[in-house]
Amino acid sequence: MANRLKNFPPGPLDQYRKAASFDWKKMKVFLDSEDLIEFEQDAFDEIKKNRLYNELYTESLPFDEIRRRTVQRMYSLKDNYNLSYEASYSDLKRPYIQLFAHFTLDPSAAIKYSIGFGMFLSTIKTLGTERHTHYLADIVDGKILGCFCLTEIGHGTNTKIKPILFEFFWNIRHLIKCNLTREILIFFFFFLGKTATHGVVYAQLITPDGVNHGLHTFVVKLRDPETLIPYAGLTIGDMGEKIGLNGIDNGFLMFHNYRIPRADLLNRTGDVTEDGQYITPFKDPNKRHGTSLGALSAGRVTIISVGNIYLIKALTVAIRYAAVRRQFGPNDDEEIPILEYPVHQHRILPYLAVVYAHRIFANYLYEIYNQFIIDQFLNNKSALSADLGVELHGVSSAGKCVTGWLARDGIQECREACGGHGYLKVAGLGDLKNDHDANNTYEGENHVLIQQTTNWLLKFWPSVVKGERVSSPMGSINFLSNAKQILNQKSTVNTLPQLLQPTVILDIYKWLTCYHLKSTFSRIEHLEKNGKSPFWSRNDSQVFYGKQLSITYMQHFILQAVYNKINSAQDRQIREVLTKLFLLYGVWNLDKHLPYLYRGEYVISGKFSELVQEAIVKLCADLKNDAVSLIDTFAPPDFVLNSVLGHSDGHVYRHLQSAFFHSPESLSRPKWWKEAVNWKDNIKSKL
Ligand SMILES: Cc1cc2nc3c(=O)[nH]c(=O)nc-3n(C[C@H](O)[C@H](O)[C@H](O)COP(=O)(O)OP(=O)(O)OC[C@H]3O[C@@H](n4cnc5c(N)ncnc54)[C@H](O)[C@@H]3O)c2cc1C
């Protein structure tokens, strides 16, 4: 079984590996399947042979060099490790595994590759028609590279305001980009700065009769693919250095009456005839909107996985380090691993529950999303596909926020959990922090994005009050049909064993979601009745209301996905350890929801909060001996993890020493040593 999975080299981590209650190889097979493990191992073996991935950098490279290497790696990913569409879709989990491999390797190159070729191609395939097939061939050949242009400098998140600033007018054969009052500056697009040849531009479509048909998608030619020189009528520039992801050339763009051909409107959901009439196959504009929303969820669905990949890397480093690093012991001549301290367990082990829950959930969502996209390609639309598009939008919006915020907090905790060594560049944690940071901003700033889910959920409450059944294709909201009964329930938990039942935890999250839905809806209604405008009533119902609603809805759906997965496990040991992780995810997050359980009188006795906290501490202690093997299951190979603290052999000090000696300047005297010695003369000469 899983012959390709090698045992880890012997070393200081053995103590914990031997103490594990389950077999990590069986866990990996259960989560991914033998076939996918083969596929992943092949990908890593191939990559390892590539010299582009075999260099260890102990210091930051010059800015332009980072860019150059990222482009090399992007083309290398495309050329060597690219799944054909047929292969990708013969098993819908394969693209997920491939994504995992690419993002663990080099986030900048993976983003350039997956957006510039993958998302560019899938957007044209999903929203375009046969008149756009020539683009597909050029993307597959690597002749063109696409970026996505939505953010406008004055109104990033607020895409609705775009009609004023960013209009397309219809002119028989051409769409003319027409600036009404000033030149239009749109900005911050991935790889627009130096390398994109095309942009997928999102803009409101206005026909000559002045009717605005809403957001549509256009392919705009930006640079000559042979020379990379921008076309006349465009000003394109680079935005310079960022906090992270510096392999990517974010850029800005200005139009000066730039024309694009009519054919470059991606016209699957709406088109304009030669005489300027708008036509759409959708009678109901909401269905057109639903389908487009689904197609636009790709970035968010991917980011849910990507944030988790970064957290897995950070946690691999922090857990292996915690198992090796020794500090104060019960007596003066004995030191114990810092993983033994309950404080340390409480800091990092809940994130182990997070990476398992989010990995299982992300895998599930990715598969559903890929099937949705295939159905769009094949025009295989069921009656439910528009509803699925809307649900995917709701789930991916809150999903990106909940998982992204936890990844951010988890990576930071891992950095601090490794003390001073964690602050070294060669620990690898700083880059993870900075690269993940942007996930919470692009593809929808999280605090704005989460309101999308809240607004969607609020729409169901009037039906629930009327006693109507509500349901959705993925079933994430189905329990709301029973909201009235759920809200009448009170906690009957009095002991730890009563609390530590998966169904009890799921019931609590159901109650919380119903409670927040009812409270948020009532608050908006109350504010409106008291004279507040709908705009301010919504705004004044986010903090402690709408935001909590989307968070608990999402956590319930994540827990439900994990619970379903656990129920399919045959191996008792795997089921038991996964159940502990499920419970830890549940109670650790519940600790932050306690005020609402008391406010809504779901629980009355103070004992309940005590039990929640007791459960967290107990589960962390119970998982302590499994922690190394649990992270071994997901850990990328050492050459990919590229961290002196997280090496699978656990020889932290040996690797640290070797990194110090490897650093080119570490043993030499600085070239400017005379300036330091003669500092007085030197400072005076500058005055
Ligand atoms: C690395 C990187 C790459 C990017 N790549 C692309 C790309 O390829 N294509 C593209 O189109 N864009 C891209 N972007 C832009 C990105 O999508 C936007 O930055 C993002 O949508 C947020 O918009 P904004 O910057 O205008 O922030 P704003 O919307 O101005 O937000 C600023 C702050 O105000 C808050 N805020 C705004 N509105 C509300 C509200 N209603 N309620 C509560 N709080 C609110 C936000 O939460 C945020 O904290 C990229 C950004 C980054 C950082």
Side-chain angles (χ1 to χ4, degrees):
M1 194 263 307
N3 295 331
R4 292 290 296 277
L5 296 176
K6 305 243 170 5
N7 290 333
F8 291 102
L13 292 168
D14 290 353
Q15 175 198 343
Y16 285 102
R17 287 194 174 123
K18 283 181 188 145
S21 69
F22 72 101
D23 180 341
W24 72 271
K25 292 183 185 173
K26 284 189 188 165
M27 176 70 90
K28 197 161 172 65
V29 173
F30 170 65
L31 294 173
D32 285 343
S33 85
E34 300 244 12
D35 178 48
L36 288 176
I37 291 170
E38 272 305 290
F39 176 70
E40 185 188 53
Q41 297 292 314
D42 283 347
F44 280 132
D45 285 354
E46 274 300 310
I47 288 166
K48 197 172 181 186
K49 288 185 218 147
N50 188 329
R51 66 170 177 83
L52 283 175
Y53 295 100
N54 266 329
E55 292 152 331
L56 174 75
Y57 305 115
T58 47
E59 287 164 8
S60 302
L61 294 169
F63 185 50
D64 192 53
E65 186 56 20
I66 299 176
R67 295 282 183 76
R68 192 175 75 89
R69 287 181 193 224
T70 305
V71 169
Q72 284 180 342
R73 285 181 170 195
M74 171 190 75
Y75 283 115
S76 152
L77 288 179
K78 170 158 181 45
D79 206 34
N80 301 313
Y81 314 112
N82 187 16
L83 273 180
S84 70
Y85 260 80
E86 294 69 32
S88 290
Y89 295 113
S90 64
D91 179 345
L92 292 182
K93 291 201 180 88
R94 282 189 170 211
Y96 183 85
I97 297 291
Q98 191 183 49
L99 181 92
F100 184 84
H102 291 177
F103 271 91
T104 35
L105 207 56
D106 180 338
S108 287
I111 289 174
K112 272 188 90 98
Y113 165 73
S114 60
I115 296 183
F117 297 116
M119 223 167 107
F120 184 35
L121 186 135
S122 73
T123 305
I124 294 178
K125 256 190 147 174
T126 321
L127 298 178
T129 53
E130 56 291 342
R131 77 183 189 212
H132 304 108
T133 41
H134 65 285
Y135 282 128
L136 304 180
D138 285 350
I139 297 168
V140 172
D141 280 357
K143 287 186 183 150
I144 60 175
L145 180 75
C147 66
F148 284 75
C149 308
L150 184 63
T151 310
E152 199 266 345
I153 198 163
H155 315 274
T157 312
N158 191 357
T159 53
K160 280 195 191 144
I161 204 126
K162 280 201 172 64
I164 303 165
L165 293 171
F166 195 55
E167 287 185 46
F168 279 91
F169 279 98
W170 202 253
N171 185 4
I172 311 297
R173 290 191 178 278
H174 289 93
L175 289 168
I176 301 175
K177 172 67 203 57
C178 179
N179 45 346
L180 295 181
T181 51
R182 63 178 174 86
E183 285 183 341
I184 312 304
L185 181 63
I186 50 182
F187 87 125
F188 231 134
F189 312 127
F190 275 139
F191 34 97
L192 174 67
K194 298 285 179 202
T195 44
T197 60
H198 290 67
V200 172
V201 174
Y202 294 88
Q204 310 284 336
L205 173 65
I206 300 175
T207 37
D209 54 9
V211 177
N212 183 345
H213 300 278
L215 207 62
H216 282 68
T217 317
F218 306 81
V219 180
V220 178
K221 295 182 182 74
L222 301 173
R223 287 188 175 90
D224 180 343
E226 302 283 318
T227 61
L228 290 188
I229 292 176
Y231 290 116
L234 300 172
T235 303
I236 309 181
D238 191 292
M239 298 182 76
E241 205 165 337
K242 303 185 293 292
I243 297 176
L245 295 176
N246 274 311
I248 299 174
D249 44 324
N250 282 76
F252 62 85
L253 166 67
M254 293 163 89
F255 291 101
H256 313 280
N257 284 321
Y258 190 65
R259 283 168 172 244
I260 68 161
R262 184 174 68 92
D264 284 344
L265 163 66
L266 296 178
N267 60 334
R268 183 169 296 228
T269 59
D271 202 355
V272 183
T273 59
E274 286 206 357
D275 60 354
Q277 301 299 312
Y278 184 75
I279 48 171
T280 173
F282 292 91
K283 289 199 181 73
D284 176 356
N286 287 332
K287 298 272 180 226
R288 184 187 82 76
H289 189 57
T291 309
S292 305
L293 274 184
L296 285 172
S297 301
R300 288 186 296 274
V301 170
T302 307
I303 290 169
I304 292 172
S305 296
V306 171
N308 204 40
I309 289 167
Y310 298 150
L311 183 56
I312 285 172
K313 284 181 85 172
L315 211 52
T316 307
V317 176
I319 288 179
R320 288 180 177 165
Y321 184 76
V324 170
R325 178 73 172 173
R326 288 170 180 266
Q327 284 294 359
F328 316 89
N331 50 57
D332 284 350
D333 45 2
E334 188 194 356
E335 288 192 321
I336 58 169
I338 55 176
L339 185 54
E340 295 296 322
Y341 303 129
V343 171
H344 208 76
Q345 292 163 13
H346 179 241
R347 285 173 67 191
I348 57 175
L349 297 189
Y351 291 106
L352 200 45
V354 168
V355 293
Y356 268 76
H358 292 180
R359 167 77 186 235
I360 290 169
F361 171 72
N363 224 331
Y364 157 77
L365 188 65
Y366 208 75
E367 230 180 304
I368 300 235
Y369 185 75
N370 274 338
Q371 189 59 56
F372 171 82
I373 291 295
I374 290 173
D375 289 344
Q376 303 295 310
F377 289 171
L378 302 175
N379 249 333
N380 210 1
K381 289 179 209 129
S382 71
L384 286 180
S385 73
D387 288 345
L388 179 57
V390 175
E391 190 178 20
L392 279 167
H393 181 71
V395 169
S396 63
S397 295
K400 172 179 173 287
C401 304
V402 167
T403 59
W405 285 326
L406 282 175
R408 173 200 63 193
D409 298 345
I411 296 167
Q412 179 64 27
E413 198 64 70
C414 290
R415 206 299 289 147
E416 292 175 32
C418 293
H421 291 153
Y423 198 66
L424 292 172
K425 175 97 178 158
V426 286
L429 295 164
D431 287 342
L432 288 172
K433 242 170 48 156
N434 291 338
D435 288 350
H436 173 65
D437 195 325
N439 279 337
N440 291 337
T441 297
Y442 53 56
E443 285 291 330
E445 203 291 326
N446 277 4
H447 276 94
V448 182
L449 195 58
I450 202 153
Q451 296 179 36
Q452 299 272 315
T453 311
T454 305
N455 292 341
W456 173 63
L457 292 171
L458 284 168
K459 287 190 187 137
F460 295 107
W461 187 248
S463 306
V464 171
V465 171
K466 281 189 228 148
E468 292 167 6
R469 286 207 72 72
V470 292
S471 65
S472 58
M474 283 191 270
S476 68
I477 55 140
N478 290 6
F479 68 95
L480 295 179
S481 301
N482 304 322
K484 281 188 192 162
Q485 296 91 303
I486 292 172
L487 285 171
N488 282 333
Q489 286 166 6
K490 302 278 173 220
S491 166
T492 53
V493 168
N494 287 311
T495 63
L496 212 51
Q498 283 172 348
L499 176 64
L500 293 180
Q501 299 295 328
T503 49
V504 170
I505 299 293
L506 282 169
D507 283 348
I508 298 174
Y509 277 87
K510 285 190 178 79
W511 184 91
L512 276 166
T513 309
C514 293
Y515 172 76
H516 285 304
L517 181 55
K518 184 177 180 207
S519 315
T520 310
F521 193 94
S522 306
R523 184 173 166 85
I524 294 171
E525 215 173 37
H526 169 79
L527 292 172
E528 283 188 9
K529 273 193 193 134
N530 283 283
K532 282 220 171 177
S533 66
F535 175 79
W536 283 114
S537 302
R538 291 250 164 184
N539 267 313
D540 286 345
S541 308
Q542 299 302 326
V543 185
F544 302 129
Y545 288 87
K547 184 176 165 188
Q548 293 307 316
L549 164 61
S550 292
I551 291 175
T552 47
Y553 153 78
M554 201 58 231
Q555 289 174 343
H556 171 264
F557 195 42
I558 290 170
L559 281 165
Q560 187 65 58
V562 180
Y563 185 56
N564 295 346
K565 185 76 186 167
I566 294 173
N567 284 338
S568 69
Q570 305 292 323
D571 183 300
R572 184 180 55 80
Q573 291 168 330
I574 285 179
R575 226 176 25 247
E576 280 177 6
V577 73
L578 284 179
T579 302
K580 282 182 198 160
L581 291 166
F582 169 100
L583 293 169
L584 183 54
Y585 187 90
V587 290
W588 180 70
N589 282 305
L590 206 54
D591 194 26
K592 295 159 209 154
H593 301 310
L594 284 174
Y596 305 101
L597 293 173
Y598 284 98
R599 195 166 85 186
E601 296 179 1
Y602 178 74
V603 288
I604 295 160
S605 149
K607 173 94 182 148
F608 185 86
S609 66
E610 208 180 308
L611 288 175
V612 168
Q613 293 176 353
E614 214 180 301
I616 297 170
V617 175
K618 178 181 167 13
L619 287 163
C620 286
D622 285 356
L623 285 162
K624 182 245 313 175
N625 284 344
D626 286 326
V628 170
S629 292
L630 281 168
I631 205 65
D632 281 346
T633 308
F634 289 145
D638 291 329
F639 82 97
V640 176
L641 185 66
N642 204 7
S643 163
V644 291
L645 305 186
H647 205 283
S648 63
D649 64 10
H651 287 296
V652 168
Y653 303 110
R654 200 183 289 169
H655 294 294
L656 261 173
Q657 191 179 345
S658 141
F660 295 151
F661 281 99
H662 186 88
S663 178
E665 308 289 339
S666 84
L667 298 176
S668 63
R669 184 173 60 173
K671 290 187 192 73
W672 38 265
W673 68 272
K674 280 189 186 162
E675 280 179 34
V677 172
N678 304 320
W679 66 272
K680 281 188 184 159
D681 298 344
N682 194 34
I683 293 295
K684 274 189 199 130
S685 72
K686 297 258 182 316
L687 291 174

